[in-house]
C-alpha cells in the first residue's frame, strides 16, 4: 500500500477521486469510458457518410474539407501536448469536453432541423475534433499513467471499447440517425463533465 493509499484510509468518503488506488482506478476507467462515448469516432463516420452522399465538384470540396479536419486534429493534438506542462491537465480536459458538448448539440440540431447544410456540419465536426484534441486525445493516457502505477486494466478497457465502437459506429448511425446519436453523446458528455469535474484531481507536478 503506497503513501496515498494510507492517507486515503482517513479521508472523508466524498473526498475527490485520486487518493486511493481504488478511487484512482475508478476515475481512469471513467476517462476511458467518456473518451469512447464522446462521439468522436461517430463524428468521423458521419463525415464519411456525408461525403458518400455528394458527387461531382461538390464531392471534391467535401473531400478536401474532410482531409483538412483530419489534419486539424493532428495539429491541435500536437499543440495541446506541448502546452500540457504549462497549464493544468484538469483545465484542458474540462474545457475540451465543453467544446465536445457544444459540437454534439449542434450536430444533433443540424441533423434534426437542416440536414442539407453539409458544409456547416463539416465545420461542427472540425469543432468536435478540436475539443477531442484538447482533452481525451492527449490526456487519456497521460492522466492514466499519472493517476495509477499500473494501467493494464484501463488499457484493456480502452481497446475493448475501441473494438466495440469500430464495429457498431456505422450500424448505430444508420439505425438511429445522427440526430439521436449526437443527442445521446451530448447527454453522456454532460454526465462526464459532472463526474470528472467533481472527482478528477490535478496531477501536474504530483
Amino acid at each position: 500500500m503506497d503513501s496515498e493509499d494510507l492517507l486515503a484510509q482517513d479521508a472523508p468518503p466524498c473526498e475527490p477521486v485520486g487518493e486511493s488506488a481504488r478511487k484512482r482506478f475508478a476515475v481512469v476507467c471513467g476517462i476511458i469510458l467518456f473518451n469512447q462515448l464522446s462521439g468522436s469516432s461517430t463524428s468521423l463516420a458521419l463525415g464519411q457518410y456525408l461525403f458518400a452522399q455528394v458527387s461531382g465538384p461538390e464531392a471534391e470540396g467535401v473531400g478536401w474539407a474532410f482531409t483538412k479536419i483530419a489534419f486539424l486534429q493532428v495539429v491541435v493534438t500536437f499543440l495541446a501536448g506541448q502546452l500540457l506542462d504549462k497549464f493544468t491537465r484538469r483545465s484542458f480536459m474540462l474545457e475540451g469536453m465543453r467544446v465536445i458538448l457544444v459540437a454534439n448539440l449542434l450536430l444533433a440540431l443540424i441533423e434534426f432541423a437542416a440536414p442539407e447544410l453539409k458544409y456547416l456540419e463539416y465545420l461542427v465536426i472540425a469543432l468536435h475534433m478540436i475539443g477531442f484534441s484538447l482533452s481525451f486525445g492527449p490526456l487519456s493516457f497521460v492522466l492514466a499513467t499519472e493517476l495509477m502505477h499500473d494501467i493494464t486494466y484501463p488499457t484493456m478497457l480502452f481497446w475493448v471499447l475501441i473494438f466495440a465502437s469500430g464495429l457498431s459506429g456505422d450500424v448505430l448511425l444508420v439505425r438511429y440517425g445522427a440526430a439521436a446519436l449526437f443527442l445521446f453523446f451530448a447527454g453522456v458528455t454532460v454526465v462526464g463533465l459532472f463526474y470528472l469535474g467533481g472527482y478528477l484531481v490535478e496531477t501536474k507536478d504530483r
Side-chain angles (χ1 to χ4, degrees):
M1 184 176 292
D2 61 28
S3 59
E4 288 183 336
D5 289 336
L6 291 171
L7 291 173
Q9 290 181 342
D10 299 321
C14 294
E15 195 73 12
V17 169
E19 289 80 5
S20 72
R22 178 176 56 82
K23 290 179 180 179
R24 292 198 301 268
F25 177 74
V27 79
V28 168
C29 287
I31 291 170
I32 299 298
L33 180 65
F34 293 121
N35 176 331
Q36 291 304 301
L37 292 178
S38 66
S40 176
S41 58
T42 306
S43 68
L44 288 177
L46 176 63
Q48 294 171 333
Y49 177 72
L50 294 174
F51 179 70
Q53 289 182 316
V54 297
S55 59
E58 188 179 1
E60 184 178 353
V62 173
W64 269 108
F66 192 73
T67 302
K68 291 173 183 176
I69 289 172
F71 179 73
L72 177 67
Q73 183 178 14
V74 173
V75 171
V76 175
T77 301
F78 175 78
L79 292 176
Q82 300 304 306
L83 295 173
L84 282 181
D85 288 331
K86 295 184 180 180
F87 302 96
T88 65
R89 279 93 158 104
R90 191 175 186 277
S91 62
F92 260 88
M93 176 63 80
L94 297 180
E95 289 305 321
M97 290 180 69
R98 291 186 184 102
V99 174
I100 290 172
L101 173 60
V102 171
N104 280 330
L105 289 172
L106 287 174
L107 284 170
L109 178 62
I110 293 170
E111 277 292 315
F112 178 76
E116 70 278 2
L117 299 178
K118 294 180 177 59
Y119 281 100
L120 181 58
E121 282 191 273
Y122 268 98
L123 290 176
V124 179
I125 291 172
L127 180 66
H128 200 298
M129 291 298 99
I130 290 173
F132 189 86
S133 298
L134 290 173
S135 54
F136 295 113
L139 277 170
S140 290
F141 281 96
V142 169
L143 287 169
T145 54
E146 291 178 346
L147 284 168
M148 296 185 65
H149 305 303
D150 182 1
I151 61 168
T152 301
Y153 291 116
T155 302
M156 290 171 61
L157 175 63
F158 176 78
W159 285 110
V160 167
L161 292 175
I162 281 278
F163 180 73
S165 64
L167 289 179
S168 62
D170 292 344
V171 175
L172 293 175
L173 192 60
V174 172
R175 179 165 184 176
Y176 295 106
L181 270 185
F182 284 104
L183 193 59
F184 168 75
F185 292 138
V188 172
T189 304
V190 169
V191 174
L193 278 167
F194 276 104
Y195 181 76
L196 296 180
Y199 292 109
L200 176 63
V201 296
E202 181 53 48
T203 60
K204 183 176 180 288
D205 298 328
R206 284 192 62 180

